[in-house]
Amino acid sequence: MNYLRGNSLSNQFWEDEEWSDLIIEDADTLFRPYLETTIVRKVVSAIQTQQALHLYYHAKTGIQRLSIAPNHLVYASQRYHLRAYCYDWHKHIDLVLSRILEAEFSSEDWVSSEEDEDWNNYITLKFSPNPALPTEMQETLLLDFRLRNNVYSLTVRKALKAYILREMERLDWRYKIPLWVRTE
């Protein structure tokens, strides 16, 4: 999975090949959940070959048996997610890849993401530095992101909205409040 994510990122910078010698210590890799190689291979293969899967999934409410048509991989909240059509619930859903306990190919007809309105439609989310923060911290956030008009505007797939809100509205460890607040 790291290889796939790395290739996706490096494809944006092919013209600067000499930068590949620059070593960057990636502390985020220390916090990634465990991924079972055989399950990841089946999921990636199912996406590439447009095949459905039967799987056992450990949801927050317990273990569930689901039949899905996997469509897209998403990296958010320091873990991999799978966007898929769920035959059991008749809708597109997100699954945390590390919570898939077993996966087997199935004979159901694969369902594309064409009808996944949340995946195919974009929304704009706007955030500003939290006014309850000290002025210096607000200025630091503005500098970090070079914001115009003090607004951090993100256009994202509607399906990713919860991940963006989770990241932007999480409590800061020092101030015990979110660094950002949503604006209209």
Side-chain angles (χ1 to χ4, degrees), residues 18-167:
E18 66 226 29
W19 288 97
S20 63
D21 293 334
L22 181 65
I23 296 172
I24 299 173
E25 189 65 33
D26 187 353
D28 285 347
T29 61
L30 302 173
F31 305 104
R32 291 199 183 128
Y34 174 77
L35 294 172
E36 179 63 47
T37 304
T38 57
I39 291 172
V40 170
R41 282 187 184 138
K42 284 181 186 173
V43 168
V44 170
S45 177
I47 292 171
Q48 291 175 324
T49 59
Q50 299 182 343
Q51 286 185 277
L53 293 171
H54 290 302
L55 51 87
Y56 284 97
Y57 182 74
H58 193 284
K60 292 177 183 175
T61 57
I63 296 175
Q64 301 173 352
R65 179 163 163 62
L66 300 173
S67 294
I68 63 162
N71 298 128
H72 305 282
L73 292 171
V74 174
Y75 185 78
S77 302
Q78 295 187 341
R79 59 189 180 187
Y80 290 95
H81 301 256
L82 175 63
R83 184 77 178 169
Y85 177 79
C86 180
Y87 298 96
D88 306 282
W89 300 339
H90 308 288
K91 66 179 186 176
H92 285 86
I93 62 172
D94 289 350
L95 302 167
V96 177
L97 199 54
S98 61
R99 295 181 187 167
I100 298 174
L101 305 173
E102 292 180 31
E104 296 300 329
F105 293 104
S106 75
S107 60
E108 279 117 342
D109 290 334
W110 183 79
V111 176
S112 78
S113 63
E114 250 180 59
E115 301 298 320
D116 186 353
E117 290 187 22
D118 285 349
W119 185 262
N120 293 308
N121 289 301
Y122 290 81
I123 58 172
T124 299
L125 300 171
K126 295 180 180 182
F127 301 90
S128 293
N130 191 333
L133 289 168
T135 303
E136 296 80 16
M137 185 60 192
Q138 291 179 51
E139 290 171 355
T140 300
L141 291 172
L142 295 172
L143 179 64
D144 280 348
F145 295 97
R146 302 297 196 268
L147 298 180
R148 292 195 173 129
N149 302 322
N150 299 346
V151 176
Y152 193 1
S153 183
L154 301 168
T155 301
V156 299
R157 294 179 187 276
K158 192 174 178 185
L160 303 181
K161 178 182 176 182
Y163 304 128
I164 303 304
L165 292 177
R166 180 184 303 150
E167 182 63 27

